[in-house]
Amino acid sequence: MRTRPTTRVAQYVAVLAYLIFLGFPLVWLISASLKSPREFANLNPTFLPQSPTFSNFTDALEEQGLVRSMLNSLQISVATTVLVLIVSLPVAYGLARLRSRLRPITNGWILVSQVFPVILIVIPLFVILRQLHLTNTLPGVVIVYMVWSMPFALWMLQGYVAAVPRELEEAASVDGASRLRTIVSIVMPLLRPGLIATAMFTFISAWNEFFFALVLLQDPELKTLPLVLARFVGAEGQVQFGPLAAASVLATVPSLVFFAFLQRRLTSGLLSGAVKG
Amino acid sequence: MTTQAVLAPESAAGKPPGRGTGRPRQNREAIFLFLPALLPVLLLSVYPLVRGIALGFTDARAGLNVDTNFIGFGNFAKLLHNDLFWDSFRIGLIWTVSVTVLQFVAALGLALLLNTNIKFRGVARTLALIPWAMPPVVVAIMWRLLLDPTKGPVNDILQTTHLTDQPINFLGDFSTALPAVIVVGIWVGMPMTTVTLLAGLQGIDRSLYEAASVDGAGAWRQFWYITLPQLKTVIVAITSLDMIWNFNSFGLVYVLTAGGPGGKTMLPMLFAYNEAFRYGNFGMAAAMGDVMVVIIIVFLAFYLRNRLRSEA
C-alpha cells in the first residue's frame, strides 16, 4: 500500500517521539553512571559524559551493603528458580497432557493468584512464616517466591510441553516405556529451550521482586538488592547521582542479559525436525 | 513478575488434551504429578488468600498473638469515615484510569505504526521490552534522578529551552506529583501493551484488508470496521488486566514518592501497606484489601465475559 509523504513524515515523528520517551531515560541512566562527581557539579551539564569513568561503579560496590545485597538476591533468585522448575515441570506436564479435574482448578488459581491485591496474602503469610520461624530468613523468602512465580512458570511450561509432538511419546509407550521414563528421556530433552526461558523469567522475577522482600526481611544483612537500592534514595538530600545510577545499572544487567539471550532462543526452532527425525 | 501470566488460561485452556478415555486414571496420575506443588501452594497461596479475606472482618493487629475478634463490618464502617481512605480511593482511580487509558491509546497508535513497513521497527520492539524487565525499584530511582529539581536533566532541559524559568519539583509539588507519577506508570506499562497489541495486529487476516480495499474503504474505515473489531478480544483482555495491575501497583510509587507529598499519591496499596506495617492495623489493611477485591472482581468479570464469549 502506498503511503502519502506527509503521513510518512508524521509516522517517523511519532516513532522518534516514542524512541526518545522510552530511550532517553535509559541512555541518560547509563551516561550518568559514567560521569565523574565533578561533571555532576558542572552548571551546564552535558548529556554524555565528557571523560567516562568507572569510579561510580567502584564507589557503589564499596558502599556498605550493596555487594552483600547482590549476593542475597543472587542466592534467592537461583534457589527460587531451581525449586520452581522442579515443582512446576510435572504440573505443567499434567496440565498439557492429562484430562483431569485439576486442570480447570489450576488455571483458575493461576488467574486468581495474579490479580488479587498482595496485601491480602501478605499478612497471613507473614503470620504463617513466623510460626514456621521463617520470617527474616532467606529460605522464607525463597518459598514465597516459589509459590508466587509458579503461575507464570506453569503457563510458559505447559505451552512448551504442548508443543512437544505427542507422537514421540506414543512411540515411546509403544516401545514399552513408562510414563515417567517417557517424560524424563523424551519430553525433558526437547523442553530444554522452554526450561531455560522459564528459568530466566523466574530468575528475573525473583531478582526484581520488592514487596514481599520489604515485608519479610528486616535484618539489614539479609536485604535484597531492590531493598538496599530503595533505601539509598530514601536518604533525602544526600542522593549521590553517580553511584546510584551505577548501582541501578548493575541491578538491571541480569534483565538485559536475559533479553539478549531469549531473543535468539525464541527464534530457534529446535523442535522443527523432531517428528521427521 | 505478574505481567502476562493472566493471559495464560486463554492460550492453554483453549485446546483440551485428546484421548478422551481413561479419565479416572488420568485424574490419579495428575494428582501424583501435582503433589509436590500442592502443599506449598495450599499453604502459602490459597490459605493465606482465604485468611486474608476473612481478616478484614476482624480487629487483628500486628505484634504478639493477641486474640483477634470477629467484628463484622466494623473495619469497613471505619474506612467509610476515614478521609484518607476516600482520598486513596480517588487517587487510585485517577491513577488507574489515566495510566491504563493513556498507555492504551499511545500503545495502539504505536502498534499500528510498528505494524507498517517503517524503519527502526526492530529497535523499537527490542527497546519496548526493557522497561518491562527492569526492576521496578530501578525504574523509580531512575525517574527520581531524572525529575530531580536541581540536578535532574528534565528540569535542565526545560530551563535551557526557556519553557520554565523556575525548576519544578515534579515529585515533591502538590499539583505535579500525581501527574508525574502517572507519566512514569505509562513509561513502564506502555511497552508491554504495545507488544501485546502488535501481536494481535499481526494475527489479523490480511485478506480482510484487501477485500475492503477493493470495495473502496479508506484507511480510517478499515481501522474502524476491521482492525478494531478483530482486535476486540485482545483490547478488552489487555486493558482489563492493565487496570487490575495498575490498581494493585505498589513498588514503583512507594519508591517514587512513598505516597507523598501530603498523601497526594497515596494509592490504595500504599494506604493498606501503611495501615498494616506502619500502624500495625492488620484487620484494617485486610479490609482495604477486601474493598480492592470487590473492585477487581468488576474488572475481572469484564475480562472473563469477553473471554468466554470469544471461546464460544
Side-chain angles (χ1 to χ4, degrees):
Chain A
M1 200 162 58
R2 276 178 304 115
T3 318
R4 275 176 303 172
T6 46
T7 318
R8 254 295 183 241
V9 171
Q11 284 181 345
Y12 277 105
V13 169
V15 170
L16 197 67
Y18 168 69
L19 288 179
I20 290 172
F21 179 55
L22 202 64
F24 175 79
L26 294 168
V27 178
W28 178 82
L29 185 73
I30 295 167
S31 158
S33 74
L34 297 171
K35 282 183 178 177
S36 65
R38 191 154 7 107
E39 267 188 80
F40 276 109
N42 193 336
L43 285 176
N44 297 307
T46 51
F47 177 59
L48 294 174
Q50 294 303 295
S51 49
T53 164
F54 283 100
S55 66
N56 290 321
F57 287 89
T58 48
D59 284 357
L61 289 173
E62 275 166 23
E63 191 71 45
Q64 233 199 348
L66 192 71
V67 174
R68 168 98 255 173
S69 71
M70 281 178 130
L71 290 174
N72 289 338
S73 278
L74 190 69
Q75 288 180 52
I76 289 176
S77 306
V78 169
T80 303
T81 306
V82 172
L83 272 177
V84 165
L85 289 187
I86 292 173
V87 170
S88 301
L89 186 60
V91 179
Y93 182 86
L95 287 175
R97 285 290 196 255
L98 298 173
R99 185 194 284 270
S100 81
R101 256 175 239 121
L102 287 173
R103 234 169 70 90
I105 296 173
T106 309
N107 283 328
W109 168 73
I110 289 177
L111 183 69
V112 164
S113 68
Q114 297 291 294
V115 299
F116 267 65
V118 277
I119 192 77
L120 282 178
I121 292 163
V122 82
I123 300 169
L125 199 59
F126 185 73
V127 177
I128 295 167
L129 289 176
R130 199 168 51 190
Q131 278 161 1
L132 297 171
H133 300 287
L134 284 173
T135 41
N136 236 338
T137 66
L138 297 188
V141 175
V142 168
I143 56 171
V144 171
Y145 283 7
M146 177 188 90
V147 169
W148 204 246
S149 318
M150 263 181 59
F152 193 85
L154 283 180
W155 170 63
M156 283 179 85
L157 278 177
Q158 67 177 316
Y160 288 112
V161 174
V164 172
R166 214 181 265 276
E167 292 87 339
L168 291 179
E169 282 181 65
E170 276 157 13
S173 91
V174 167
D175 291 345
S178 68
R179 172 85 73 181
L180 189 68
R181 183 73 204 281
T182 316
I183 293 175
V184 172
S185 52
I186 308 277
V187 182
M188 287 258 283
L190 289 171
L191 271 186
R192 242 187 56 187
L195 286 172
I196 291 171
T198 311
M200 298 191 98
F201 189 88
T202 309
F203 184 92
I204 294 298
S205 304
W207 182 265
N208 290 353
E209 208 282 332
F210 181 66
F211 183 73
F212 285 122
L214 180 70
V215 173
L216 297 176
L217 295 171
Q218 306 301 325
D219 189 344
E221 292 283 293
L222 296 174
K223 294 209 181 219
T224 58
L225 186 55
L227 293 181
V228 169
L229 282 175
R231 209 192 46 201
F232 272 131
V233 280
E236 203 66 60
Q238 291 296 320
V239 177
Q240 294 232 300
F241 269 50
L244 195 53
S248 300
V249 170
L250 288 177
T252 311
V253 165
S255 308
L256 297 181
V257 173
F258 165 66
F259 276 115
F261 192 83
L262 201 69
Q263 282 209 315
R264 257 184 300 138
R265 275 275 164 236
L266 290 172
T267 47
S268 68
L270 233 149
L271 275 172
S272 51
V275 180
K276 288 176 204 158
Chain B
M1 74 167 64
T2 57
T3 320
Q4 256 211 343
V6 210
L7 296 170
E10 201 161 28
S11 55
K15 34 186 180 343
R19 271 193 296 186
T21 54
R23 203 179 218 282
R25 194 176 65 87
Q26 294 205 0
N27 263 328
R28 242 180 295 128
E29 266 190 287
I31 288 170
F32 176 70
L33 289 169
F34 281 51
L35 217 51
L38 222 51
L39 182 71
V41 166
L42 286 177
L43 183 69
L44 298 174
S45 175
V46 177
Y47 171 73
L49 184 58
V50 176
R51 267 309 295 275
I53 292 171
L55 211 60
F57 299 89
T58 70
D59 59 0
R61 291 192 55 83
L64 304 167
N65 289 324
V66 184
D67 286 329
T68 58
N69 305 304
F70 176 79
I71 54 165
F73 286 92
N75 289 324
F76 300 93
K78 257 195 247 168
L79 278 177
L80 292 182
H81 291 107
N82 186 340
D83 286 347
L84 292 177
F85 163 77
W86 286 106
D87 278 348
S88 82
F89 191 73
R90 189 178 48 83
I91 292 165
L93 283 184
I94 295 173
W95 151 268
T96 305
V97 173
S98 318
V99 173
T100 309
V101 170
L102 294 175
Q103 96 184 0
F104 171 75
V105 172
L108 181 61
L110 189 67
L112 288 168
L113 215 64
L114 295 180
N115 200 32
T116 62
N117 54 343
I118 198 165
K119 284 194 187 89
F120 312 120
R121 250 163 58 166
V123 185
R125 275 189 217 175
T126 311
L127 258 179
L129 288 168
I130 296 174
W132 167 67
M134 278 175 88
V137 168
V138 169
V139 173
I141 288 173
M142 183 177 76
W143 278 94
R144 273 185 66 161
L145 298 180
L146 283 164
L147 297 174
D148 188 272
T150 53
K151 285 192 283 182
V154 172
N155 264 305
D156 200 57
I157 292 166
L158 287 177
Q159 279 173 286
T160 45
T161 55
H162 297 287
L163 285 169
T164 58
D165 43 3
Q166 288 286 317
I168 301 170
N169 189 0
F170 289 102
L171 296 167
D173 202 287
F174 275 32
S175 58
T176 54
L178 187 56
V181 165
I182 287 170
V183 169
V184 181
I186 294 169
W187 189 86
V188 179
M190 182 184 147
M192 192 65 212
T193 310
T194 307
V195 173
T196 311
L197 290 173
L198 191 57
L201 283 174
Q202 285 168 346
I204 301 176
D205 191 349
R206 300 293 315 163
S207 64
L208 291 173
Y209 291 105
E210 282 153 24
S213 192
V214 169
D215 290 346
W220 176 247
R221 287 175 68 89
Q222 290 186 16
F223 172 73
W224 198 251
Y225 291 106
I226 299 171
T227 311
L228 273 188
Q230 290 283 319
L231 270 186
K232 202 189 142 210
T233 316
V234 177
I235 290 174
V236 176
I238 193 68
T239 46
S240 41
L241 293 175
D242 273 337
M243 287 245 177
I244 293 168
W245 291 326
N246 289 327
F247 191 62
N248 282 336
S249 71
F250 174 80
L252 187 72
V253 178
Y254 178 84
V255 178
L256 274 173
T257 62
K264 291 289 179 204
T265 57
M266 189 66 76
L267 300 183
M269 262 297 288
L270 291 167
F271 177 88
Y273 172 82
N274 282 342
E275 279 298 321
F277 295 102
R278 279 180 66 180
Y279 313 126
N281 297 327
F282 278 2
M284 192 68 121
M288 181 69 187
D290 287 337
V291 173
M292 292 174 73
V293 165
V294 173
I295 296 164
I296 287 165
I297 285 173
V298 176
F299 294 138
L300 206 58
F302 194 52
Y303 162 71
L304 286 176
R305 209 184 59 168
N306 177 63
R307 220 186 81 194
L308 292 177
R309 213 182 266 167
S310 71
E311 270 171 19

